[in-house]
Amino acid sequence: MPPQPKAVVLLSGGLDSATTAAIARSQGYALHALSIDYGQRHRFELAAAGRVAQSLGAAEHRTVRVDLAEMGGSALTDAIPVPQGRSASEMAGGIPVTYVPARNTVMLSVALGMAEVIGAADIWVGVNAVDYSGYPDCRPEYITAFERLANLATKAGVEGTLKFRIHAPLIDLTKADIIRRGAALGVDYSLTHTCYSPNPEDGAACGACDACQLRLQGFADAGLADPIHYFA
Ligand SMILES: [Zn+2]
């Protein structure tokens, strides 16, 4: 039997990346999970990422620190309030303050470096273009452009030892579709963390930030119960 191909999977600890990792596993990849500690205020997600990696039988889980809070500019890394209780139309109205400048480019770049080092041609990322209004680094054309960059920016790409592929299997799925897909693959969503503004004591989700609302609506639309604890 040939060895399992390696996949570098960006694992935030959230629902989308957990589902993405499960899809990669179902396609026969050995999971090399990568989390980025970027100074996010919802740091509980990093512990969640470790739990998810373990539950999916990842070959390894690394956490790399790239402190984007040094520059700030986002409600997730700076002294900017996380919006609460916004309506669906408000959420659809432009790029929110929870946008982290260049975050996916930073994360994919670290993933690319790790992939080149371990000899993985395949990088998996749980970006989604449907439920979020306007994160520019969650669009299909962004993923296509980064894949091109990956192959021209690396030694392995230039020498032809690896042909990098960026997999974004959730990009055109609704949140409900993502949850159904993950549930069918046995993802344990009780291990995941989504909230941007969790209780600092125990990490319980607020239920009112954009991320919580999209998650709750996704479970409702999928006809499933969300197994995590909400404090509000
Ligand atoms: Zn929340």
Side-chain angles (χ1 to χ4, degrees):
M1 203 173 84
Q4 271 188 304
K6 295 175 180 174
V8 172
V9 183
L10 279 165
L11 201 62
S12 71
L15 183 161
D16 292 345
S17 67
T19 307
T20 300
I23 293 170
R25 186 182 67 166
S26 76
Q27 295 186 13
Y29 287 91
L31 305 182
H32 294 258
L34 172 64
S35 299
I36 308 293
D37 177 355
Y38 62 89
Q40 57 270 58
R41 66 163 72 206
H42 52 307
R43 302 183 58 76
F44 288 100
E45 73 173 12
L46 292 168
R51 296 193 295 266
V52 170
Q54 191 174 33
S55 77
L56 291 172
E60 63 171 325
H61 175 230
R62 303 188 200 188
T63 300
V64 171
R65 184 168 168 77
V66 184
D67 190 2
L68 300 180
E70 294 277 351
M71 62 186 191
S74 166
L76 299 190
T77 57
D78 210 337
I80 299 169
V82 172
Q84 299 274 322
R86 299 205 304 160
S87 68
S89 64
E90 285 174 317
M91 283 189 230
I95 300 170
V97 294
T98 47
Y99 165 72
V100 179
R103 178 179 59 186
N104 285 352
T105 304
V106 170
M107 290 184 172
L108 279 169
S109 297
V110 177
L112 175 61
M114 177 171 160
E116 186 170 25
V117 170
I118 69 172
D122 296 277
I123 297 168
W124 291 68
V125 60
V127 297
N128 174 245
V130 174
D131 281 331
Y132 292 88
S133 46
Y135 288 134
D137 50 2
C138 291
R139 295 177 295 164
E141 53 267 51
Y142 167 76
I143 295 298
T144 302
F146 193 92
E147 185 172 270
R148 182 159 171 269
L149 177 142
N151 285 296
L152 65 81
T154 51
K155 180 171 186 276
V158 168
E159 293 182 347
T161 53
L162 292 171
K163 173 88 173 75
F164 291 107
R165 286 176 297 184
I166 312 296
H167 301 258
L170 312 184
I171 199 149
D172 56 2
L173 300 185
T174 66
K175 194 64 89 184
D177 290 336
I178 293 166
I179 291 165
R180 285 192 203 99
R181 186 87 190 271
L185 291 170
V187 174
D188 181 354
Y189 286 121
S190 76
L191 304 177
T192 62
H193 177 95
T194 295
C195 182
Y196 288 152
S197 192
N199 184 320
E201 301 293 319
D202 62 1
C206 77
C209 69
D210 292 2
C212 278
Q213 290 201 68
L214 290 168
R215 176 181 172 123
L216 284 163
Q217 189 63 49
F219 273 97
D221 291 346
L224 295 167
D226 185 350
I228 65 165
H229 173 60
Y230 291 85
F231 68 83

